[in-house]
Amino acid sequence: NVPMDGNAAMGRLRDLFAVDLTNATVTCETCDREGPLAELLFYGGPVGVVLRCPACDAVNLRFLDTGRALNLDIRGLTRVRVGRTGA
């Protein structure tokens, strides 16, 4: 099989990011705590956001809006699980 480029994943990724992520379950890379993204500790403002694990204070997610681009860094998570409505 010859791999396709990343454009082939766009439909599936659109499914993922078209949901309310506050309902997503996330797993902390540092301490393995699993829980709702909404329970992470919020630091930041209109330009940049950092979400930290409430159990170990590790940075789980970073979001930056430069005005020209949106940047999402989830290196602090080992998994993001989004349930489907009605499934």
Side-chain angles (χ1 to χ4, degrees):
N1 290 337
V2 177
M4 295 185 275
D5 67 21
N7 288 309
M10 293 316 299
R12 300 303 305 207
L13 292 174
R14 189 175 307 119
D15 289 344
L16 174 64
F17 289 108
V19 298
D20 179 4
L21 288 179
T22 58
N23 294 320
T25 299
V26 296
T27 304
C28 178
E29 181 179 54
T30 302
C31 72
D32 287 331
R33 177 197 175 272
E34 184 175 283
L37 185 139
E39 291 180 359
L40 298 178
L41 304 176
F42 174 93
Y43 298 89
V47 174
V49 169
V50 171
L51 295 177
R52 292 181 172 268
C53 177
C56 72
D57 203 40
V59 174
N60 288 169
L61 183 147
R62 296 166 191 87
F63 178 80
L64 176 66
D65 182 350
T66 66
R68 297 186 66 182
L70 301 174
N71 299 275
L72 177 64
D73 178 353
I74 56 171
R75 284 180 285 176
L77 298 172
T78 57
R79 181 170 59 164
V80 176
R81 185 172 38 126
V82 178
R84 293 185 178 266
T85 304

